[in-house]
Amino acid sequence: MVNLTSLRNKIAQRIFTADLMSSAVLSSLVTPSQNKWGDETASYSSGATIDVVPFLYIKSRLSYQPFGDVQQGDVDFVVKYDVTLQPKDKLTWQSTDYFITEIDDSAFLGNGLVVQVIRCRKAA
């Protein structure tokens, strides 16, 4: 039987490798404020470098996938289980800014998170 620690180690050895993994900068959304017209202005933390594995990158077309319809500029990443993420956080990957729109943390073994899958949309 596989235990949680063993599974996390195997994922780290086989998925989060130099061949597959990229670096990205994760910037957390600081409490948004409103300007005098009532428009929301977002500010982000300075950011921290995290390891990501991009696995679905739609550059110029619409694709229909089991995880949902993917549009141009969307990208899915696998992120390690211990990274703290929130929707609306900003991820900078390959000098392009993306906003996290969905987080799928359903990859559990027992009561432990194994990986997180995030969908990001390219910033306009």
Side-chain angles (χ1 to χ4, degrees):
M1 181 167 169
V2 177
N3 65 22
L4 182 61
T5 305
S6 172
L7 184 58
R8 285 176 175 169
N9 289 338
K10 286 204 181 290
I11 288 171
Q13 293 169 0
R14 297 209 173 123
I15 295 176
F16 291 98
T17 64
D19 295 336
L20 300 175
M21 178 176 73
S22 294
S23 291
V25 176
L26 176 67
S27 302
S28 299
L29 177 66
V30 179
T31 306
S33 60
Q34 292 184 348
N35 63 17
K36 64 182 180 181
W37 297 282
D39 295 328
E40 187 177 281
T41 57
S43 59
Y44 290 89
S45 64
S46 60
T49 302
I50 63 169
D51 296 328
V52 297
V53 177
F55 73 92
L56 182 61
Y57 178 50
I58 305 302
K59 186 171 182 178
S60 62
R61 61 182 171 83
L62 181 64
S63 177
Y64 301 96
Q65 300 292 332
F67 190 59
D69 295 347
V70 183
Q71 299 179 12
Q72 180 178 347
D74 285 0
V75 63
D76 290 349
F77 295 101
V78 176
V79 181
K80 291 182 180 180
Y81 69 94
D82 57 355
V83 176
T84 303
L85 304 162
Q86 295 294 323
K88 297 187 179 180
D89 284 351
K90 182 172 66 171
L91 192 74
T92 304
W93 176 65
Q94 295 184 346
S95 302
T96 304
D97 290 336
Y98 295 89
F99 295 108
I100 298 174
T101 57
E102 295 179 58
I103 301 172
D104 180 15
D105 55 1
S106 60
F108 282 84
L109 176 69
N111 287 330
L113 187 60
V114 178
V115 294
Q116 299 176 84
V117 177
I118 59 173
R119 167 146 306 150
C120 298
R121 178 149 297 138
K122 187 176 180 180

Tab-separated table of all heavy atoms in Angstrom, residues 40-99:
chain	number	residue	atom	x	y	z
A	40	GLU	N	-12.184	49.053	-8.808
A	40	GLU	CA	-11.256	48.300	-7.982
A	40	GLU	C	-9.847	48.353	-8.569
A	40	GLU	O	-9.664	48.159	-9.759
A	40	GLU	CB	-11.726	46.850	-7.889
A	40	GLU	CG	-10.939	46.017	-6.914
A	40	GLU	CD	-11.497	44.611	-6.804
A	40	GLU	OE1	-12.506	44.438	-6.106
A	40	GLU	OE2	-10.932	43.711	-7.428
A	41	THR	N	-8.890	48.643	-7.731
A	41	THR	CA	-7.491	48.600	-8.154
A	41	THR	C	-6.784	47.541	-7.321
A	41	THR	O	-6.849	47.566	-6.092
A	41	THR	CB	-6.789	49.963	-7.973
A	41	THR	OG1	-6.904	50.363	-6.606
A	41	THR	CG2	-7.408	51.020	-8.853
A	42	ALA	N	-6.161	46.609	-8.002
A	42	ALA	CA	-5.505	45.507	-7.321
A	42	ALA	C	-4.025	45.792	-7.164
A	42	ALA	O	-3.395	46.379	-8.039
A	42	ALA	CB	-5.708	44.223	-8.114
A	43	SER	N	-3.489	45.374	-6.050
A	43	SER	CA	-2.044	45.427	-5.866
A	43	SER	C	-1.590	44.040	-5.427
A	43	SER	O	-2.329	43.318	-4.764
A	43	SER	CB	-1.657	46.499	-4.846
A	43	SER	OG	-2.266	46.239	-3.602
A	44	TYR	N	-0.370	43.701	-5.809
A	44	TYR	CA	0.144	42.355	-5.573
A	44	TYR	C	1.424	42.409	-4.764
A	44	TYR	O	2.171	43.382	-4.825
A	44	TYR	CB	0.398	41.649	-6.919
A	44	TYR	CG	-0.880	41.306	-7.630
A	44	TYR	CD1	-1.478	42.202	-8.500
A	44	TYR	CD2	-1.516	40.103	-7.403
A	44	TYR	CE1	-2.670	41.900	-9.137
A	44	TYR	CE2	-2.703	39.790	-8.035
A	44	TYR	CZ	-3.277	40.690	-8.897
A	44	TYR	OH	-4.460	40.394	-9.512
A	45	SER	N	1.667	41.334	-4.024
A	45	SER	CA	2.902	41.216	-3.266
A	45	SER	C	4.075	41.107	-4.231
A	45	SER	O	3.896	40.900	-5.429
A	45	SER	CB	2.847	39.983	-2.363
A	45	SER	OG	2.778	38.807	-3.151
A	46	SER	N	5.282	41.233	-3.711
A	46	SER	CA	6.469	41.210	-4.569
A	46	SER	C	6.661	39.865	-5.252
A	46	SER	O	7.267	39.787	-6.303
A	46	SER	CB	7.708	41.566	-3.751
A	46	SER	OG	7.871	40.640	-2.700
A	47	GLY	N	6.165	38.817	-4.691
A	47	GLY	CA	6.201	37.522	-5.355
A	47	GLY	C	7.298	36.606	-4.857
A	47	GLY	O	8.316	37.043	-4.335
A	48	ALA	N	7.066	35.325	-5.049
A	48	ALA	CA	8.019	34.288	-4.672
A	48	ALA	C	8.126	33.309	-5.832
A	48	ALA	O	7.140	33.038	-6.522
A	48	ALA	CB	7.547	33.568	-3.418
A	49	THR	N	9.300	32.778	-6.043
A	49	THR	CA	9.512	31.828	-7.126
A	49	THR	C	9.017	30.456	-6.703
A	49	THR	O	9.355	29.966	-5.615
A	49	THR	CB	11.008	31.765	-7.498
A	49	THR	OG1	11.440	33.069	-7.868
A	49	THR	CG2	11.245	30.820	-8.640
A	50	ILE	N	8.200	29.841	-7.559
A	50	ILE	CA	7.690	28.493	-7.310
A	50	ILE	C	7.984	27.620	-8.528
A	50	ILE	O	8.256	28.119	-9.614
A	50	ILE	CB	6.175	28.482	-7.004
A	50	ILE	CG1	5.369	28.990	-8.202
A	50	ILE	CG2	5.869	29.278	-5.743
A	50	ILE	CD1	3.876	28.753	-8.062
A	51	ASP	N	7.912	26.311	-8.325
A	51	ASP	CA	8.084	25.356	-9.414
A	51	ASP	C	6.715	24.980	-9.960
A	51	ASP	O	5.789	24.684	-9.190
A	51	ASP	CB	8.793	24.091	-8.917
A	51	ASP	CG	10.208	24.375	-8.443
A	51	ASP	OD1	10.835	25.287	-9.015
A	51	ASP	OD2	10.677	23.692	-7.527
A	52	VAL	N	6.578	25.006	-11.277
A	52	VAL	CA	5.335	24.638	-11.932
A	52	VAL	C	5.645	23.690	-13.086
A	52	VAL	O	6.733	23.717	-13.647
A	52	VAL	CB	4.568	25.870	-12.473
A	52	VAL	CG1	4.144	26.785	-11.343
A	52	VAL	CG2	5.383	26.632	-13.487
A	53	VAL	N	4.670	22.861	-13.419
A	53	VAL	CA	4.771	21.996	-14.593
A	53	VAL	C	3.605	22.342	-15.508
A	53	VAL	O	2.462	22.003	-15.207
A	53	VAL	CB	4.733	20.498	-14.212
A	53	VAL	CG1	4.776	19.631	-15.458
A	53	VAL	CG2	5.872	20.149	-13.283
A	54	PRO	N	3.871	23.067	-16.603
A	54	PRO	CA	2.787	23.382	-17.531
A	54	PRO	C	2.427	22.131	-18.318
A	54	PRO	O	3.300	21.407	-18.777
A	54	PRO	CB	3.400	24.453	-18.443
A	54	PRO	CG	4.862	24.243	-18.341
A	54	PRO	CD	5.144	23.646	-17.005
A	55	PHE	N	1.117	21.846	-18.438
A	55	PHE	CA	0.757	20.660	-19.199
A	55	PHE	C	-0.338	20.892	-20.217
A	55	PHE	O	-0.597	20.049	-21.047
A	55	PHE	CB	0.405	19.485	-18.280
A	55	PHE	CG	-0.912	19.605	-17.579
A	55	PHE	CD1	-2.061	19.080	-18.120
A	55	PHE	CD2	-0.986	20.220	-16.348
A	55	PHE	CE1	-3.256	19.184	-17.466
A	55	PHE	CE2	-2.193	20.315	-15.688
A	55	PHE	CZ	-3.327	19.799	-16.242
A	56	LEU	N	-0.973	22.019	-20.192
A	56	LEU	CA	-1.974	22.316	-21.208
A	56	LEU	C	-1.867	23.803	-21.513
A	56	LEU	O	-2.242	24.632	-20.704
A	56	LEU	CB	-3.379	21.976	-20.710
A	56	LEU	CG	-4.511	22.189	-21.694
A	56	LEU	CD1	-4.315	21.316	-22.941
A	56	LEU	CD2	-5.844	21.863	-21.062
A	57	TYR	N	-1.324	24.109	-22.670
A	57	TYR	CA	-1.097	25.504	-23.048
A	57	TYR	C	-1.765	25.737	-24.390
A	57	TYR	O	-1.399	25.140	-25.384
A	57	TYR	CB	0.402	25.791	-23.119
A	57	TYR	CG	0.748	27.189	-23.553
A	57	TYR	CD1	0.161	28.296	-22.950
A	57	TYR	CD2	1.663	27.415	-24.556
A	57	TYR	CE1	0.477	29.583	-23.340
A	57	TYR	CE2	1.996	28.699	-24.955
A	57	TYR	CZ	1.389	29.768	-24.330
A	57	TYR	OH	1.710	31.044	-24.728
A	58	ILE	N	-2.764	26.588	-24.415
A	58	ILE	CA	-3.498	26.891	-25.639
A	58	ILE	C	-3.031	28.252	-26.121
A	58	ILE	O	-3.331	29.276	-25.518
A	58	ILE	CB	-5.028	26.895	-25.388
A	58	ILE	CG1	-5.468	25.582	-24.768
A	58	ILE	CG2	-5.782	27.189	-26.668
A	58	ILE	CD1	-5.147	24.358	-25.583
A	59	LYS	N	-2.279	28.247	-27.206
A	59	LYS	CA	-1.701	29.488	-27.695
A	59	LYS	C	-2.633	30.209	-28.662
A	59	LYS	O	-2.770	31.410	-28.627
A	59	LYS	CB	-0.359	29.192	-28.371
A	59	LYS	CG	0.395	30.418	-28.782
A	59	LYS	CD	1.782	30.050	-29.242
A	59	LYS	CE	2.555	31.294	-29.614
A	59	LYS	NZ	3.901	31.009	-30.013
A	60	SER	N	-3.287	29.484	-29.557
A	60	SER	CA	-4.008	30.204	-30.612
A	60	SER	C	-5.324	29.562	-31.024
A	60	SER	O	-5.785	29.792	-32.117
A	60	SER	CB	-3.103	30.295	-31.844
A	60	SER	OG	-2.814	28.994	-32.316
A	61	ARG	N	-5.921	28.751	-30.178
A	61	ARG	CA	-7.177	28.126	-30.593
A	61	ARG	C	-8.008	27.766	-29.370
A	61	ARG	O	-7.531	27.829	-28.245
A	61	ARG	CB	-6.907	26.878	-31.418
A	61	ARG	CG	-6.138	25.825	-30.659
A	61	ARG	CD	-5.851	24.617	-31.527
A	61	ARG	NE	-4.940	23.725	-30.851
A	61	ARG	CZ	-5.298	22.823	-29.958
A	61	ARG	NH1	-6.545	22.692	-29.595
A	61	ARG	NH2	-4.407	22.042	-29.382
A	62	LEU	N	-9.212	27.373	-29.604
A	62	LEU	CA	-10.100	26.913	-28.550
A	62	LEU	C	-10.008	25.398	-28.501
A	62	LEU	O	-10.017	24.736	-29.536
A	62	LEU	CB	-11.539	27.342	-28.854
A	62	LEU	CG	-12.615	26.973	-27.848
A	62	LEU	CD1	-12.351	27.675	-26.517
A	62	LEU	CD2	-13.979	27.394	-28.354
A	63	SER	N	-9.909	24.848	-27.322
A	63	SER	CA	-9.789	23.403	-27.168
A	63	SER	C	-10.831	22.944	-26.159
A	63	SER	O	-11.102	23.625	-25.181
A	63	SER	CB	-8.384	23.061	-26.669
A	63	SER	OG	-8.263	21.690	-26.445
A	64	TYR	N	-11.398	21.794	-26.391
A	64	TYR	CA	-12.401	21.239	-25.490
A	64	TYR	C	-11.775	20.080	-24.740
A	64	TYR	O	-11.408	19.072	-25.322
A	64	TYR	CB	-13.632	20.798	-26.276
A	64	TYR	CG	-14.243	21.942	-27.041
A	64	TYR	CD1	-13.944	22.151	-28.374
A	64	TYR	CD2	-15.082	22.844	-26.402
A	64	TYR	CE1	-14.475	23.217	-29.072
A	64	TYR	CE2	-15.616	23.916	-27.091
A	64	TYR	CZ	-15.307	24.092	-28.415
A	64	TYR	OH	-15.833	25.162	-29.088
A	65	GLN	N	-11.627	20.238	-23.452
A	65	GLN	CA	-10.936	19.267	-22.621
A	65	GLN	C	-11.854	18.821	-21.487
A	65	GLN	O	-12.803	19.513	-21.130
A	65	GLN	CB	-9.669	19.894	-22.032
A	65	GLN	CG	-8.666	20.368	-23.055
A	65	GLN	CD	-8.026	19.219	-23.802
A	65	GLN	OE1	-7.907	18.119	-23.274
A	65	GLN	NE2	-7.628	19.449	-25.039
A	66	PRO	N	-11.550	17.674	-20.864
A	66	PRO	CA	-12.375	17.213	-19.749
A	66	PRO	C	-12.409	18.187	-18.569
A	66	PRO	O	-13.385	18.249	-17.850
A	66	PRO	CB	-11.700	15.909	-19.330
A	66	PRO	CG	-10.902	15.477	-20.491
A	66	PRO	CD	-10.523	16.728	-21.231
A	67	PHE	N	-11.370	18.973	-18.381
A	67	PHE	CA	-11.306	19.915	-17.266
A	67	PHE	C	-12.123	21.164	-17.545
A	67	PHE	O	-12.304	22.004	-16.707
A	67	PHE	CB	-9.835	20.264	-16.999
A	67	PHE	CG	-9.592	21.034	-15.725
A	67	PHE	CD1	-9.954	20.513	-14.494
A	67	PHE	CD2	-8.998	22.271	-15.754
A	67	PHE	CE1	-9.722	21.216	-13.331
A	67	PHE	CE2	-8.754	22.983	-14.591
A	67	PHE	CZ	-9.119	22.445	-13.373
A	68	GLY	N	-12.657	21.296	-18.753
A	68	GLY	CA	-13.454	22.459	-19.130
A	68	GLY	C	-12.965	23.023	-20.448
A	68	GLY	O	-11.936	22.627	-20.966
A	69	ASP	N	-13.719	23.923	-21.014
A	69	ASP	CA	-13.320	24.550	-22.270
A	69	ASP	C	-12.125	25.463	-22.013
A	69	ASP	O	-12.158	26.303	-21.125
A	69	ASP	CB	-14.469	25.357	-22.857
A	69	ASP	CG	-15.640	24.476	-23.246
A	69	ASP	OD1	-15.462	23.248	-23.297
A	69	ASP	OD2	-16.717	25.024	-23.498
A	70	VAL	N	-11.109	25.284	-22.814
A	70	VAL	CA	-9.889	26.070	-22.669
A	70	VAL	C	-9.841	27.069	-23.810
A	70	VAL	O	-10.041	26.718	-24.959
A	70	VAL	CB	-8.649	25.150	-22.706
A	70	VAL	CG1	-7.390	25.961	-22.489
A	70	VAL	CG2	-8.754	24.075	-21.650
A	71	GLN	N	-9.580	28.330	-23.491
A	71	GLN	CA	-9.559	29.377	-24.495
A	71	GLN	C	-8.139	29.836	-24.769
A	71	GLN	O	-7.213	29.516	-24.018
A	71	GLN	CB	-10.404	30.555	-24.022
A	71	GLN	CG	-11.850	30.177	-23.811
A	71	GLN	CD	-12.666	31.343	-23.315
A	71	GLN	OE1	-12.229	32.478	-23.330
A	71	GLN	NE2	-13.869	31.070	-22.863
A	72	GLN	N	-7.992	30.596	-25.810
A	72	GLN	CA	-6.686	31.127	-26.173
A	72	GLN	C	-6.098	31.904	-24.993
A	72	GLN	O	-6.773	32.697	-24.362
A	72	GLN	CB	-6.818	32.046	-27.376
A	72	GLN	CG	-5.517	32.661	-27.831
A	72	GLN	CD	-5.694	33.528	-29.060
A	72	GLN	OE1	-6.733	33.487	-29.702
A	72	GLN	NE2	-4.711	34.307	-29.375
A	73	GLY	N	-4.838	31.653	-24.709
A	73	GLY	CA	-4.160	32.334	-23.614
A	73	GLY	C	-4.280	31.629	-22.283
A	73	GLY	O	-3.671	32.053	-21.306
A	74	ASP	N	-5.055	30.539	-22.207
A	74	ASP	CA	-5.170	29.786	-20.969
A	74	ASP	C	-4.034	28.774	-20.873
A	74	ASP	O	-3.551	28.265	-21.879
A	74	ASP	CB	-6.492	29.019	-20.906
A	74	ASP	CG	-7.677	29.910	-20.628
A	74	ASP	OD1	-7.489	31.128	-20.484
A	74	ASP	OD2	-8.800	29.377	-20.557
A	75	VAL	N	-3.635	28.479	-19.661
A	75	VAL	CA	-2.624	27.457	-19.420
A	75	VAL	C	-2.928	26.787	-18.086
A	75	VAL	O	-3.399	27.438	-17.150
A	75	VAL	CB	-1.190	28.052	-19.469
A	75	VAL	CG1	-0.985	29.075	-18.395
A	75	VAL	CG2	-0.137	26.975	-19.404
A	76	ASP	N	-2.728	25.486	-18.031
A	76	ASP	CA	-2.887	24.721	-16.796
A	76	ASP	C	-1.506	24.350	-16.285
A	76	ASP	O	-0.613	24.018	-17.070
A	76	ASP	CB	-3.693	23.446	-17.033
A	76	ASP	CG	-5.151	23.720	-17.332
A	76	ASP	OD1	-5.599	24.856	-17.162
A	76	ASP	OD2	-5.856	22.772	-17.737
A	77	PHE	N	-1.358	24.387	-14.977
A	77	PHE	CA	-0.094	24.037	-14.331
A	77	PHE	C	-0.354	23.031	-13.224
A	77	PHE	O	-1.393	23.070	-12.573
A	77	PHE	CB	0.561	25.257	-13.673
A	77	PHE	CG	0.991	26.332	-14.611
A	77	PHE	CD1	0.222	27.469	-14.780
A	77	PHE	CD2	2.179	26.240	-15.304
A	77	PHE	CE1	0.627	28.492	-15.622
A	77	PHE	CE2	2.596	27.250	-16.154
A	77	PHE	CZ	1.824	28.370	-16.314
A	78	VAL	N	0.621	22.173	-12.989
A	78	VAL	CA	0.654	21.347	-11.786
A	78	VAL	C	1.603	22.050	-10.826
A	78	VAL	O	2.702	22.448	-11.206
A	78	VAL	CB	1.160	19.920	-12.084
A	78	VAL	CG1	1.290	19.115	-10.802
A	78	VAL	CG2	0.236	19.214	-13.053
A	79	VAL	N	1.148	22.203	-9.583
A	79	VAL	CA	1.915	22.890	-8.554
A	79	VAL	C	2.036	21.952	-7.365
A	79	VAL	O	1.125	21.163	-7.086
A	79	VAL	CB	1.211	24.205	-8.139
A	79	VAL	CG1	1.992	24.945	-7.083
A	79	VAL	CG2	0.989	25.090	-9.347
A	80	LYS	N	3.122	22.043	-6.647
A	80	LYS	CA	3.332	21.194	-5.475
A	80	LYS	C	2.233	21.406	-4.438
A	80	LYS	O	1.628	22.475	-4.359
A	80	LYS	CB	4.701	21.450	-4.860
A	80	LYS	CG	5.830	20.972	-5.755
A	80	LYS	CD	7.175	21.184	-5.098
A	80	LYS	CE	8.274	20.690	-6.014
A	80	LYS	NZ	9.606	20.879	-5.434
A	81	TYR	N	2.014	20.388	-3.651
A	81	TYR	CA	0.910	20.370	-2.688
A	81	TYR	C	1.017	21.440	-1.609
A	81	TYR	O	0.016	21.879	-1.062
A	81	TYR	CB	0.817	18.987	-2.023
A	81	TYR	CG	1.980	18.690	-1.104
A	81	TYR	CD1	1.907	18.953	0.254
A	81	TYR	CD2	3.173	18.163	-1.590
A	81	TYR	CE1	2.973	18.698	1.098
A	81	TYR	CE2	4.233	17.897	-0.771
A	81	TYR	CZ	4.128	18.156	0.573
A	81	TYR	OH	5.181	17.901	1.403
A	82	ASP	N	2.227	21.903	-1.293
A	82	ASP	CA	2.403	22.805	-0.160
A	82	ASP	C	2.469	24.284	-0.530
A	82	ASP	O	2.758	25.128	0.310
A	82	ASP	CB	3.648	22.422	0.637
A	82	ASP	CG	4.910	22.412	-0.209
A	82	ASP	OD1	4.816	22.604	-1.435
A	82	ASP	OD2	5.998	22.201	0.360
A	83	VAL	N	2.158	24.618	-1.786
A	83	VAL	CA	2.146	26.018	-2.216
A	83	VAL	C	0.772	26.612	-1.924
A	83	VAL	O	-0.251	26.015	-2.258
A	83	VAL	CB	2.475	26.132	-3.726
A	83	VAL	CG1	2.373	27.572	-4.188
A	83	VAL	CG2	3.854	25.566	-4.007
A	84	THR	N	0.745	27.773	-1.287
A	84	THR	CA	-0.519	28.440	-0.973
A	84	THR	C	-0.944	29.303	-2.154
A	84	THR	O	-0.216	30.203	-2.563
A	84	THR	CB	-0.362	29.316	0.287
A	84	THR	OG1	0.086	28.491	1.366
A	84	THR	CG2	-1.680	29.972	0.649
A	85	LEU	N	-2.106	28.986	-2.711
A	85	LEU	CA	-2.637	29.673	-3.892
A	85	LEU	C	-4.056	30.130	-3.632
A	85	LEU	O	-4.786	29.494	-2.876
A	85	LEU	CB	-2.676	28.719	-5.090
A	85	LEU	CG	-1.383	28.043	-5.505
A	85	LEU	CD1	-1.687	26.849	-6.366
A	85	LEU	CD2	-0.524	29.020	-6.252
A	86	GLN	N	-4.447	31.200	-4.296
A	86	GLN	CA	-5.817	31.687	-4.244
A	86	GLN	C	-6.226	32.137	-5.639
A	86	GLN	O	-5.389	32.632	-6.395
A	86	GLN	CB	-5.946	32.878	-3.291
A	86	GLN	CG	-5.677	32.556	-1.846
A	86	GLN	CD	-6.714	31.625	-1.266
A	86	GLN	OE1	-7.890	31.707	-1.583
A	86	GLN	NE2	-6.274	30.709	-0.424
A	87	PRO	N	-7.506	31.987	-5.998
A	87	PRO	CA	-7.961	32.587	-7.256
A	87	PRO	C	-7.683	34.090	-7.237
A	87	PRO	O	-7.735	34.723	-6.185
A	87	PRO	CB	-9.461	32.296	-7.276
A	87	PRO	CG	-9.613	31.094	-6.410
A	87	PRO	CD	-8.563	31.239	-5.337
A	88	LYS	N	-7.367	34.652	-8.371
A	88	LYS	CA	-7.022	36.058	-8.589
A	88	LYS	C	-5.567	36.379	-8.271
A	88	LYS	O	-5.134	37.496	-8.464
A	88	LYS	CB	-7.944	37.024	-7.836
A	88	LYS	CG	-9.383	36.958	-8.276
A	88	LYS	CD	-10.182	38.047	-7.608
A	88	LYS	CE	-11.630	37.995	-8.063
A	88	LYS	NZ	-12.430	39.021	-7.432
A	89	ASP	N	-4.785	35.396	-7.752
A	89	ASP	CA	-3.355	35.624	-7.595
A	89	ASP	C	-2.731	35.702	-8.977
A	89	ASP	O	-3.271	35.187	-9.953
A	89	ASP	CB	-2.694	34.499	-6.791
A	89	ASP	CG	-2.981	34.588	-5.303
A	89	ASP	OD1	-3.552	35.605	-4.862
A	89	ASP	OD2	-2.636	33.630	-4.592
A	90	LYS	N	-1.569	36.333	-9.068
A	90	LYS	CA	-0.897	36.512	-10.347
A	90	LYS	C	0.303	35.580	-10.430
A	90	LYS	O	1.078	35.455	-9.483
A	90	LYS	CB	-0.456	37.963	-10.509
A	90	LYS	CG	0.209	38.263	-11.835
A	90	LYS	CD	0.449	39.746	-12.049
A	90	LYS	CE	1.436	40.292	-11.071
A	90	LYS	NZ	1.851	41.669	-11.365
A	91	LEU	N	0.454	34.934	-11.580
A	91	LEU	CA	1.572	34.042	-11.841
A	91	LEU	C	2.300	34.567	-13.072
A	91	LEU	O	1.681	34.771	-14.112
A	91	LEU	CB	1.048	32.625	-12.096
A	91	LEU	CG	2.075	31.514	-12.109
A	91	LEU	CD1	2.539	31.234	-10.693
A	91	LEU	CD2	1.465	30.258	-12.689
A	92	THR	N	3.590	34.811	-12.940
A	92	THR	CA	4.389	35.277	-14.075
A	92	THR	C	5.233	34.103	-14.557
A	92	THR	O	6.090	33.599	-13.823
A	92	THR	CB	5.283	36.457	-13.675
A	92	THR	OG1	4.460	37.485	-13.132
A	92	THR	CG2	6.038	37.002	-14.868
A	93	TRP	N	4.954	33.665	-15.789
A	93	TRP	CA	5.638	32.517	-16.386
A	93	TRP	C	6.100	32.903	-17.780
A	93	TRP	O	5.314	33.429	-18.566
A	93	TRP	CB	4.681	31.324	-16.428
A	93	TRP	CG	5.218	30.111	-17.088
A	93	TRP	CD1	6.263	29.339	-16.675
A	93	TRP	CD2	4.716	29.484	-18.272
A	93	TRP	NE1	6.442	28.288	-17.531
A	93	TRP	CE2	5.498	28.348	-18.528
A	93	TRP	CE3	3.671	29.783	-19.139
A	93	TRP	CZ2	5.288	27.514	-19.610
A	93	TRP	CZ3	3.457	28.947	-20.220
A	93	TRP	CH2	4.251	27.823	-20.445
A	94	GLN	N	7.350	32.677	-18.073
A	94	GLN	CA	7.960	33.027	-19.353
A	94	GLN	C	7.689	34.494	-19.712
A	94	GLN	O	7.278	34.820	-20.823
A	94	GLN	CB	7.481	32.093	-20.462
A	94	GLN	CG	7.928	30.670	-20.266
A	94	GLN	CD	7.527	29.767	-21.413
A	94	GLN	OE1	6.699	30.120	-22.257
A	94	GLN	NE2	8.100	28.575	-21.451
A	95	SER	N	7.876	35.368	-18.752
A	95	SER	CA	7.723	36.825	-18.896
A	95	SER	C	6.307	37.266	-19.247
A	95	SER	O	6.105	38.373	-19.736
A	95	SER	CB	8.698	37.366	-19.942
A	95	SER	OG	10.025	37.065	-19.587
A	96	THR	N	5.321	36.421	-19.007
A	96	THR	CA	3.922	36.754	-19.263
A	96	THR	C	3.141	36.610	-17.962
A	96	THR	O	3.332	35.647	-17.230
A	96	THR	CB	3.326	35.832	-20.341
A	96	THR	OG1	4.127	35.921	-21.520
A	96	THR	CG2	1.899	36.223	-20.683
A	97	ASP	N	2.257	37.566	-17.691
A	97	ASP	CA	1.438	37.531	-16.485
A	97	ASP	C	0.154	36.752	-16.740
A	97	ASP	O	-0.507	36.941	-17.768
A	97	ASP	CB	1.087	38.946	-16.025
A	97	ASP	CG	2.289	39.685	-15.478
A	97	ASP	OD1	3.245	39.025	-15.028
A	97	ASP	OD2	2.275	40.933	-15.493
A	98	TYR	N	-0.191	35.903	-15.794
A	98	TYR	CA	-1.422	35.124	-15.822
A	98	TYR	C	-2.121	35.298	-14.479
A	98	TYR	O	-1.469	35.488	-13.453
A	98	TYR	CB	-1.131	33.633	-16.026
A	98	TYR	CG	-0.506	33.301	-17.357
A	98	TYR	CD1	0.862	33.316	-17.527
A	98	TYR	CD2	-1.301	32.964	-18.445
A	98	TYR	CE1	1.434	33.013	-18.748
A	98	TYR	CE2	-0.733	32.653	-19.676
A	98	TYR	CZ	0.632	32.685	-19.812
A	98	TYR	OH	1.190	32.381	-21.019
A	99	PHE	N	-3.447	35.229	-14.495
A	99	PHE	CA	-4.223	35.258	-13.265
A	99	PHE	C	-4.807	33.874	-13.024
A	99	PHE	O	-5.341	33.247	-13.940
A	99	PHE	CB	-5.342	36.300	-13.344
A	99	PHE	CG	-4.826	37.703	-13.442
A	99	PHE	CD1	-4.930	38.415	-14.626
A	99	PHE	CD2	-4.203	38.305	-12.362
A	99	PHE	CE1	-4.433	39.704	-14.733
A	99	PHE	CE2	-3.707	39.598	-12.456
A	99	PHE	CZ	-3.829	40.294	-13.647
